Amino acid sequence: MRTWRATGGIVSARSRERFLQGEPVDSGVRKSISDSWQRSRSLGLSPDQSDLPFREDFDRDGRLVRASGPVLDRLQSRFAGSAMNISVADGSGTVVLRRFGEAALARSLPAIQRVPGFVFAEQFAATNGIGLALAERQLIRVHGAEHFAERSQGSACRAIPVRDPLSGLIEGVLCLGYPRSAEDPALVTVIRKAAEAIERRLLEQSSARERALLGAYLSTAADAAVGVHQGVGVEELARELRPRDQAALMEKATELISRGQRAAVDVSLPDGRSVTLVSRPMTSASGVEGIAIEALFRSPPPRQALSVPRRIDELLGPHAEPVGSAVVAPSASYTSVAPAPGHHSATPLSGHLPGAASGQGATGSQGAMAAGTAADATDGHPDSQPPARGLVLVGEPHVGTYALAARRRLELLSEASARIGTTLDVRRTAQELAETVVPVLADFVTIDLPEAVLRGEESADPGGDLRRAVVHGIRDDVPFSPVGKRVDFGPTAPQLRCLTSGQAVLEPDLKAAAGWLSEDSEHTEQLLTHVHSLIAVPLVARGVVLGVAGFYRSQDPAPFGDDDRLLAHELATRAALSMDNARRFTRERNMVLALQRSLLPQGLPDQEAVEVAHRYLPAESDVGGDWYDVIPLSGTRIGLFVGDVVGHGMHSAATMGRLRTAARSFAELDFPPDEVLTYLDNVVGRLDREDPAADGVGIIGATCLYAIYDPTSQQCVMARAGHPPPALVHPDGTVSFPDLPAGPPLGLGGLPFETAEIHLPEYSQLVLYTDGLIEDRHRDIDESLDRLRKALAHPERTPEETCEAVLDIVAPAHPDDDLALLVARTHALDPHRIAGWDLPADPALVSDVRAAAVRQLADWGLDGAAFVAELVLSELVTNAVRHGAGPIRVRLIHGPTLICEVYDTSNTAPHLRRAAASDEGGRGLFLVAQLAESWGTRYTAEGKVIWAECGLDGA
């Protein structure tokens, strides 16, 4: 076994440790290594990571495997008995072949170092030989601590890209791995020659016509370069171009080949440089006629000159005709440039451009890439630098025509992937399909969809329930059926035939198809004067028929062909998948929206305290958990709720329904706002704990604002839990946002809520809303509040008009969150409809209260209610005297019902029970419950109020 000596210039383990600890990288670390370390860290990779992605689907009999196998066998024989690990990876970094100098070595290594299929691309394996060779696009060395992974610290490797000589693109990487103590500079020559051998075998798999044209050009270029002092390869400038600029140059070169004649085109680059593409007819020694496209760069960077190869036949071997350029696509007979082995390489403009190839790595072992010839002219100035000249493409005109068409089709498919399906709206997705293909493929497009699909459902009869959804074209004067109209196609129409067969139907000449066109006599005659060719394509996704698209050609004299039909079918298939996603979303959204609306109030209660209007507006993308409620309370008071459950979808809507039910229950128990929010906080916390998806982590949250307005005093008590404060519109038009204690959102638990009490003059408007009204990513929240203030500064508007104005002026045009809005205009109860008496806790005064109440009812004209009111007041006052504490206050309120209230300073609540036959008491509240429509207790700061509502039907 040969012994190799270590070389200098190796990164120390200390430098790597300093980098991993976040310290600056030592100056002795090579830039390629430090850059790779930085990329690895930015990807979040760990040095002790031991697992790598494994692919079982790599091509075990592909071009690269067939070309590399014999070369690796020879390398294995050369390094027999050594600890050499020889591998070949494809262009994605997946190892496809492995060989070992010592057979026992394979058994001692972990699977990732001996089994093909593991991916060593830098984004997975961090800094390593294969990944760095792909990133740097040149011969590289990685030694010991230069590796990012801990497992590779004792190893070293040499790796070199293997290029397809006809495309100039990297097909894979050849890598030699060995113990770091076995480093030897001679490995550079070994790995280069091995890579050249693989590239020659790749070239042997190309067609003879491709090799002939390439050889003819390189022979001419080599002869022309004799005696020239300088030449620049294409890669020397191409790496500085953006990918889209390279693509533009390659497309223009392909177009020049397709013309089949001598021409020159100037292409301006964004950085101010100019590239001239020159097409030159040529004929190979075997008679193959083609076009060579050369690029003249006016301002090349000052780099080392690249010479034209002197021995072209080295690339193919002694039995092949000399060759030299590279094909853009392996299936086409036109090629892009590359220098031959033994010389500095240049990547064609069609290649990737991550890093510069310079120094010892920029060699012919990267692929047979043609260097440009030296410039043969100057601008007339003695010191001016001649323009750099390099080969871009070589090919046959008819192949160039096909390649150009194929490129444009691929571009259209790529554009379709980006433009179609940007929203979850069926109509918009159909419109995007039409906008994408006009005018690139068709001049006019019509799309017809069943009514059920637009609703998010599946159509039972897609062929008989079609409506025109889209009409789009280069002009508006073509007599297609308008959008929204029902479309009926005859049994022989291409649209129905394509729906039946599931395949696109081509009608190259519409005038020859008058048989089925006669079925639509309304438009046939006028239509034929504008269009001449049709492709009808079904819109089918996941087995669901979504509709049919019609592609029409008008301006292009050539009719649609089979290639156009296949392209139209591919575009329609992609669009149909996006449309089906939109349809499914529409269906689910409609279901959630139906649930949401069913859980919101279905009507407004009868009450006289406020005049109310409300709105609920769902988000464009999904339905959330916003809600509102209006709850009549005792004593003619009214409770106003607005809330927002965090999240969107069915779960949030269902949670909203449960929360609204709980809120109504707590409110109807006459709890004050702060206590209601405390109970709701407990409910949300319990829902969170009970949710199986929570897994101990809080996922449910909500905000809420609760206000109670009393028309007898015109006072409003409010509390909020993380919710935006309300807006208050005074009768004079002044708009303010009361400063309420914010309170924590519901679900946090353990934190108190505070109330605030404000006076609301009659005809004030209290506006409650959720954050979806004022929060918009396109504007600041202060701007939204200013808009709200301006929209509300019109006290003469009714609540309904106020709701409309707020939605028009304040609500986002395309809301990302749903919103709820509640507007309440306050009313004050006439003081003449309220009567009250204060008395001490003396049983002797009960009869006086009854008498005073009867007189008051007579004044109100409610003599018919006097008997019931007298009995109810007698029982309530007696209970207050016996079980409560004085002083006692009695109040009668004449509203839609007659309300009897008895105040006392005790916190003891009465309980309804059924008295036994032998009991002398215990029947008072039972009697009240039987006589009154409803009764209850509410607590105040000074005590409690027992109330009862009596009907006025008999009054």
Side-chain angles (χ1 to χ4, degrees):
M1 177 178 176
R2 186 175 183 180
T3 302
W4 295 316
R5 63 183 182 277
T7 60
I10 302 302
V11 172
S12 67
R14 175 57 183 160
S15 298
R16 176 176 172 275
E17 291 301 321
R18 284 171 57 85
F19 170 78
L20 294 178
Q21 293 172 7
E23 300 179 18
V25 179
D26 294 344
S27 59
V29 179
R30 288 180 289 155
K31 188 175 187 303
S32 60
I33 297 298
S34 63
D35 289 346
S36 179
W37 285 354
Q38 296 287 355
R39 293 193 297 266
S40 300
R41 184 161 63 182
S42 66
L43 291 169
L45 300 177
S46 172
D48 55 4
Q49 178 179 345
S50 59
D51 57 333
L52 293 177
F54 181 78
R55 291 181 51 196
E56 295 183 352
D57 59 344
F58 69 89
D59 192 350
R60 300 176 186 273
D61 191 35
R63 296 176 65 243
L64 181 62
V65 173
R66 296 196 304 271
S68 304
V71 179
L72 263 64
D73 291 340
R74 292 197 295 270
L75 288 174
Q76 184 178 28
S77 177
R78 173 172 183 152
F79 294 109
S82 70
M84 183 66 70
N85 185 339
I86 310 162
S87 60
V88 169
D90 62 18
S92 66
T94 303
V95 174
V96 296
L97 283 177
R98 286 254 189 216
R99 297 287 191 276
F100 302 94
E102 177 61 52
L105 183 62
R107 295 190 292 271
S108 64
L109 293 175
I112 61 173
Q113 295 181 1
R114 60 182 171 83
V115 179
F118 285 96
V119 183
F120 281 83
E122 191 180 66
Q123 62 265 37
F124 302 113
T127 308
N128 71 94
I130 294 173
L132 192 56
L134 288 173
E136 295 290 322
R137 305 173 66 80
Q138 61 179 329
L139 174 64
I140 59 94
R141 176 193 64 174
V142 183
H143 190 281
E146 292 180 329
H147 290 91
F148 192 80
E150 295 285 353
R151 63 172 181 271
S152 303
Q153 299 301 292
S155 304
C157 67
R158 300 269 181 174
I160 188 171
V162 175
R163 297 181 184 271
D164 182 344
L166 286 180
S167 68
L169 302 178
I170 293 178
E171 284 286 319
V173 174
L174 172 63
C175 183
L176 302 180
Y178 43 87
R180 65 182 182 184
S181 60
E183 179 67 80
D184 190 335
L187 289 176
V188 174
T189 303
V190 173
I191 196 171
R192 283 179 178 171
K193 290 184 176 180
E196 292 169 8
I198 295 174
E199 290 169 351
R200 283 196 297 271
R201 293 182 58 83
L202 284 172
L203 190 59
E204 290 171 1
Q205 301 180 40
S206 303
S207 70
R209 298 178 68 87
E210 292 172 334
R211 296 197 297 270
L213 284 175
L214 188 57
Y217 176 82
L218 285 185
S219 296
T220 305
D223 294 339
V226 175
V228 178
H229 69 280
Q230 185 179 27
V232 178
V234 174
E235 185 186 34
E236 297 301 299
L237 294 176
R239 73 162 56 92
E240 300 176 11
L241 302 180
R242 292 177 297 181
R244 62 184 180 185
D245 297 327
Q246 303 167 37
L249 287 175
M250 294 303 294
E251 183 175 2
K252 181 59 67 175
T254 306
E255 183 180 345
L256 289 175
I257 288 180
S258 67
R259 295 178 183 177
Q261 59 188 8
R262 188 182 301 274
V265 175
D266 286 331
V267 181
S268 297
L269 301 179
D271 59 4
R273 290 183 296 168
S274 174
V275 178
T276 301
L277 297 180
V278 179
S279 62
R280 177 163 59 87
M282 49 177 285
T283 304
S284 72
S286 59
V288 179
E289 296 182 353
I291 300 291
I293 307 297
E294 294 176 307
L296 277 71
F297 297 87
R298 295 296 175 185
S299 302
R303 300 180 65 91
Q304 181 180 356
L306 303 183
S307 59
V308 175
R310 302 292 181 171
R311 295 188 58 196
I312 303 169
D313 59 338
E314 288 182 0
L315 187 60
L316 292 178
H319 304 295
E321 184 175 351
V323 299
S325 100
V327 230
V328 173
S331 60
S333 296
Y334 57 96
T335 60
S336 57
V337 176
H343 299 275
H344 294 287
S345 66
T347 304
L349 290 177
S350 60
H352 302 290
L353 312 167
S358 60
Q360 64 179 6
T363 67
S365 61
Q366 291 180 336
M369 293 171 286
T373 63
D376 54 6
T378 68
D379 59 3
H381 193 279
D383 297 327
S384 64
Q385 189 174 9
R389 187 168 190 156
L391 178 65
V392 178
L393 289 177
V394 172
E396 299 175 80
H398 68 281
V399 177
T401 301
Y402 291 137
L404 188 62
R407 179 189 296 273
R408 288 174 177 171
R409 289 189 176 95
L410 288 175
E411 289 174 350
L412 181 58
L413 289 173
S414 176
E415 184 181 3
S417 299
R419 293 184 59 181
I420 300 176
T422 60
T423 67
L424 289 171
D425 181 84
V426 177
R427 292 181 185 272
R428 180 57 197 158
T429 304
Q431 182 70 30
E432 290 170 344
L433 169 61
E435 293 173 351
T436 301
V437 301
V438 174
V440 182
L441 176 62
D443 297 319
F444 299 96
V445 173
T446 62
I447 298 179
D448 307 312
L449 305 175
E451 195 65 41
V453 171
L454 297 174
R455 297 194 303 267
E457 305 168 2
E458 294 184 17
S459 176
D461 182 20
D465 184 29
L466 293 172
R467 290 191 178 275
R468 182 62 41 91
V470 173
V471 176
H472 183 70
I474 58 176
R475 301 191 311 273
D476 297 331
D477 58 347
V478 178
F480 292 107
S481 297
V483 172
K485 183 177 180 180
R486 182 184 177 92
V487 182
D488 294 314
F489 296 108
T492 61
Q495 287 84 351
L496 284 188
R497 281 189 282 145
C498 77
L499 288 176
T500 302
S501 64
Q503 300 295 323
V505 174
L506 171 63
E507 288 285 1
D509 186 1
L510 286 178
K511 292 183 178 180
W516 64 264
L517 281 174
S518 63
E519 298 169 357
D520 185 15
S521 57
E522 181 182 354
H523 298 105
T524 297
E525 184 175 350
Q526 296 180 357
L527 194 61
L528 290 179
T529 62
H530 292 83
V531 296
H532 60 77
S533 190
L534 164 68
I535 300 176
V537 192
L539 298 171
V540 182
R542 303 183 181 96
V544 178
V545 178
L546 304 175
V548 61
F551 297 173
Y552 295 86
R553 183 164 285 179
S554 171
Q555 287 191 330
D556 191 341
F560 285 121
D562 284 335
D563 289 342
D564 298 317
R565 178 178 59 83
L566 294 175
L567 178 59
H569 186 78
E570 175 66 20
L571 289 168
T573 300
R574 296 189 182 194
L577 188 61
S578 296
M579 292 171 65
D580 190 51
N581 291 338
R583 179 191 66 83
R584 291 167 177 252
F585 169 78
T586 300
R587 179 186 61 189
E588 294 179 5
R589 183 175 185 273
N590 289 340
M591 292 172 56
V592 177
L593 186 57
L595 172 63
Q596 169 83 344
R597 294 194 183 280
S598 69
L599 295 174
L600 291 174
Q602 302 302 303
L604 295 176
D606 293 331
Q607 46 80 35
E608 295 182 343
V610 291
E611 181 184 354
V612 179
H614 53 80
R615 294 291 187 276
Y616 171 76
L617 185 64
E620 282 193 347
S621 59
D622 208 346
V623 177
D626 289 16
W627 59 282
Y628 58 88
D629 209 344
V630 179
I631 305 173
L633 302 176
S634 63
T636 68
R637 299 171 306 137
I638 195 74
L640 304 173
F641 270 111
V642 67
D644 184 4
V645 175
V646 174
H648 297 85
M650 188 76 73
H651 180 70
S652 294
T655 303
M656 177 276 293
R658 300 170 71 179
L659 189 61
R660 175 180 169 250
T661 300
R664 173 173 281 269
S665 299
F666 295 138
E668 289 178 341
L669 290 174
D670 272 329
F671 293 131
D674 56 334
E675 291 187 28
V676 170
L677 294 183
T678 300
Y679 293 133
L680 289 179
D681 184 55
N682 296 333
V683 170
V684 173
R686 185 179 70 253
L687 293 177
D688 201 4
R689 292 189 297 271
E690 293 175 353
D691 193 319
D695 194 23
V697 181
I699 62 170
I700 297 176
T703 65
C704 183
L705 189 151
Y706 180 36
I708 299 177
Y709 172 67
D710 188 347
T712 64
S713 62
Q714 302 177 44
Q715 293 295 113
C716 184
V717 181
M718 292 179 280
R720 62 187 179 118
H723 201 84
L728 176 59
V729 184
H730 295 270
D732 61 358
T734 304
V735 180
S736 63
F737 297 92
D739 185 16
L740 304 183
L746 301 177
L748 296 183
L751 299 175
F753 299 96
E754 300 180 37
T755 61
E757 185 171 358
I758 59 176
H759 180 74
L760 299 183
E762 188 173 15
Y763 304 120
S764 298
Q765 287 191 1
L766 188 63
V767 181
L768 313 182
Y769 52 89
T770 57
D771 56 5
L773 177 67
I774 58 175
E775 292 185 0
D776 184 3
R777 59 184 177 181
H778 300 296
R779 66 174 184 245
D780 186 75
I781 191 170
D782 291 333
E783 179 185 350
S784 297
L785 292 176
D786 288 340
R787 290 189 180 187
L788 180 59
R789 182 179 285 105
K790 292 177 182 178
L792 296 178
H794 296 275
E796 74 282 357
R797 288 174 177 163
T798 66
E800 285 288 341
E801 293 171 343
T802 300
C803 283
E804 291 297 328
V806 168
L807 294 184
D808 290 342
I809 299 174
V810 187
H814 303 283
D816 297 321
D817 192 10
D818 54 345
L819 64 90
L821 175 65
L822 186 67
V823 178
R825 172 181 283 174
T826 63
H827 295 287
L829 192 62
D830 187 349
H832 295 94
R833 299 172 63 182
I834 304 172
W837 303 273
D838 295 317
L839 63 152
D842 185 355
L845 299 178
V846 174
S847 59
D848 295 338
V849 172
R850 289 200 304 263
V854 170
R855 289 193 298 271
Q856 183 62 60
L857 292 177
D859 292 341
W860 287 339
L862 301 178
D863 299 285
F867 177 73
V868 173
E870 188 177 4
L871 289 177
V872 168
L873 277 178
S874 178
E875 293 297 334
L876 295 182
V877 173
T878 301
N879 275 339
V881 171
R882 287 184 177 181
H883 307 292
I888 298 172
R889 177 172 174 78
V890 178
R891 188 169 71 159
L892 291 180
I893 302 175
H894 179 196
T897 60
L898 178 63
I899 302 174
C900 305
E901 296 180 339
V902 177
Y903 297 72
D904 67 65
T905 58
S906 170
N907 290 323
T908 303
H911 296 283
L912 177 66
R913 65 183 182 89
R914 292 182 179 273
S918 59
D919 291 341
E920 295 183 1
R923 297 176 178 82
L925 286 181
F926 180 77
L927 181 62
V928 171
Q930 294 297 313
L931 295 175
E933 292 184 352
S934 60
W935 73 280
T937 304
R938 70 173 182 268
Y939 292 92
T940 66
E942 298 80 15
K944 68 175 181 298
V945 180
I946 305 176
W947 57 269
E949 290 190 13
C950 304
L952 300 179
D953 295 338

